[in-house]
Amino acid sequence: MSHELTLQLLDTHAGGDVSRIVIGGIDPLPGDTVRQQMEYLENDADGLRKLLLNEPYGIPEMSVDLIVPACDPQAQMGYIIMEVMGYPVYSGSNTICTATALLETGLIPKREGIQHFTLESPAGLVQIEARVENGVVEAITCGGLPSYIDTHRAQIHVPGVGDVTYSIAYSGGFYALVDATELGFSLKREEERALAECAHRIVEAIQAHSGFSHYTLGDVGPLPFLHFMGPVEQIADDFYRSRSTTYVHPGVICRSTTGTGTSARLALMHYEGTIKPGDKLETVSLRETGFIGEVVAVREAGGKHQVVENTITGKSYVLARSEIVVNCDDPMVDCGGVHHILSDRHPVAVNRSDAATA
């Protein structure tokens, strides 16, 4: 290498899921929208995802969020999500972490009390509400993607597991929803390995049997997610709680319950008539962390789907601020598909002075 290349990072977590936020060191990406920039990374520069999620820099259980300038004039900043399964167009936990990181780095000015701003994700515009108390970001509420049920209580025989009843929801990706109790799980942390093995078999079986198509997006790839559902406990007239666990194929049990998993659960509960607009569901993870999903409204779409508009609320914590050295001479470092987007840029700048509104 002719000179040293670095990436500026802010590591965060929400509900236990670590999101590594890249705030500097990447050249501007081609594309007129954040979605197009994501597709460029996916097709031509996937090395960045692999670099930060694999040894020696990271582990597959993490996520990476790349901060980019917004393309849409309504948004203050943009971000691209990278995970072991590829490039999800949306993620609740990653959005909560990204919004917190933008405030904590000053890329979006932090203001005491409640403030609102808009981010551009690959899925489109996301409305953010941040609650700041004594200078601390105590909560982020973000719009979950409109969610709906594609398949309700289908059955499939899974080798090594048996007959499994599942539903399929779309909430930013397609989710298989299964009853944890029916499969012999109580959703405790010591079951994590067994949950991953069981979910792997179920997802493989469903992928081999069925494909799923979004009513506007069309084919969005093989089924990537499974959500284990525990029993629902009613806490108040409009508030419910349930243990939950999300699996990402292949092989990862999320530490949080995930925002999209919670949105998928809201869609199923509404479909089955157990939750209505204004009601909230707290999903609780193997690590006793939680997100709160709220049904905001319900509308018809695609001629046959009851689409649940929802929000997800959670808190993110900053773990580390760092600058990593990318040394392509290191035999453990694969710079293929990434060296041409690395730069010596400083952290990305806000592209407008009105970056946040009260």
Side-chain angles (χ1 to χ4, degrees):
M1 295 176 63
S2 60
H3 61 286
E4 184 177 280
L5 296 175
T6 60
L7 293 173
Q8 290 77 48
L9 307 175
L10 189 77
D11 286 353
T12 63
H13 87 84
D17 278 329
V18 175
S19 292
R20 172 164 282 178
I21 316 297
V22 182
I23 60 174
I26 301 296
D27 278 327
L29 303 175
D32 295 330
T33 65
V34 169
R35 177 65 172 265
Q36 290 178 7
Q37 293 177 11
M38 180 204 78
E39 291 169 348
Y40 169 76
L41 286 178
E42 185 174 25
N43 296 323
D44 298 298
D46 191 40
L48 179 64
R49 180 183 67 89
K50 295 175 180 176
L51 181 80
L52 293 177
L53 289 179
N54 295 325
E55 293 183 352
Y57 296 109
I59 58 174
E61 288 81 4
M62 301 171 65
S63 298
V64 173
D65 298 299
L66 172 62
I67 302 296
V68 296
C71 298
D72 191 308
Q74 299 179 75
Q76 282 68 64
M77 296 297 289
Y79 65 109
I80 298 168
I81 307 159
M82 292 169 263
E83 296 183 355
V84 64
M85 49 72 69
Y87 293 80
V89 296
Y90 191 70
S91 161
S93 61
N94 281 287
T95 300
I96 290 167
C97 286
T98 297
T100 300
L102 288 167
L103 293 169
E104 294 296 350
T105 57
L107 291 171
I108 290 180
K110 186 195 302 182
R111 298 176 182 172
E112 193 71 12
I114 301 294
Q115 68 180 96
H116 297 90
F117 52 92
T118 303
L119 300 180
E120 184 181 356
S121 76
L125 296 179
V126 182
Q127 305 304 318
I128 304 293
E129 179 182 281
R131 177 165 58 86
V132 179
E133 296 180 1
N134 300 317
V136 177
V137 182
E138 292 291 350
I140 296 289
T141 297
C142 56
L145 285 196
S147 305
Y148 68 91
I149 295 301
D150 175 277
T151 303
H152 186 243
R153 293 191 65 79
Q155 277 203 332
I156 191 169
H157 182 77
V158 179
V161 178
D163 292 335
V164 174
T165 300
Y166 67 95
S167 297
I168 298 291
Y170 182 86
S171 57
F174 279 105
Y175 268 84
L177 299 164
V178 298
D179 188 311
T181 304
E182 289 181 1
L183 294 168
F185 294 111
S186 56
L187 299 181
K188 299 296 184 181
R189 187 166 177 176
E190 54 268 24
E191 297 174 329
E192 187 166 345
R193 181 182 294 274
L195 286 163
E197 293 173 352
C198 178
H200 186 279
R201 292 190 178 100
I202 296 172
V203 170
E204 289 277 312
I206 295 174
Q207 284 184 349
H209 182 266
S210 303
F212 303 97
S213 179
H214 189 275
Y215 61 88
T216 57
L217 301 176
D219 183 5
V220 293
L223 177 75
F225 305 117
L226 182 143
H227 194 72
F228 290 99
M229 306 178 295
V232 176
E233 177 187 6
Q234 185 166 2
I235 306 301
D237 288 344
D238 60 353
F239 193 91
Y240 301 84
R241 181 178 292 138
S242 176
R243 301 193 67 83
S244 303
T245 298
T246 288
Y247 165 84
V248 181
H249 197 65
V252 173
I253 290 289
C254 295
R255 291 174 172 85
S256 79
T257 53
T258 72
T260 50
T262 302
S263 296
R265 190 77 182 277
L266 292 176
L268 181 62
M269 291 179 69
H270 177 266
Y271 187 93
E272 295 179 339
T274 59
I275 202 168
K276 63 185 185 303
D279 289 350
K280 297 179 180 180
L281 169 71
E282 181 181 21
T283 51
V284 180
S285 74
L286 301 182
R287 287 166 171 77
E288 307 303 326
T289 61
F291 291 147
I292 295 176
E294 179 176 356
V295 178
V296 176
V298 179
R299 58 180 172 83
E300 286 193 10
K304 61 178 181 179
H305 299 297
Q306 291 289 312
V307 175
V308 174
E309 304 282 355
N310 63 94
T311 62
I312 302 297
T313 299
K315 180 172 181 177
S316 175
Y317 296 85
V318 174
L319 298 174
R321 295 176 175 87
S322 63
E323 182 176 84
I324 68 168
V325 176
V326 181
N327 185 352
C328 295
D329 296 327
D330 184 339
M332 289 192 66
V333 177
D334 182 3
C335 288
V338 70
H339 63 277
H340 61 291
I341 65 172
L342 294 174
S343 76
D344 291 323
R345 290 197 311 139
H346 293 295
V348 64
V350 178
N351 61 351
R352 275 175 298 282
S353 59
D354 59 339
T357 58

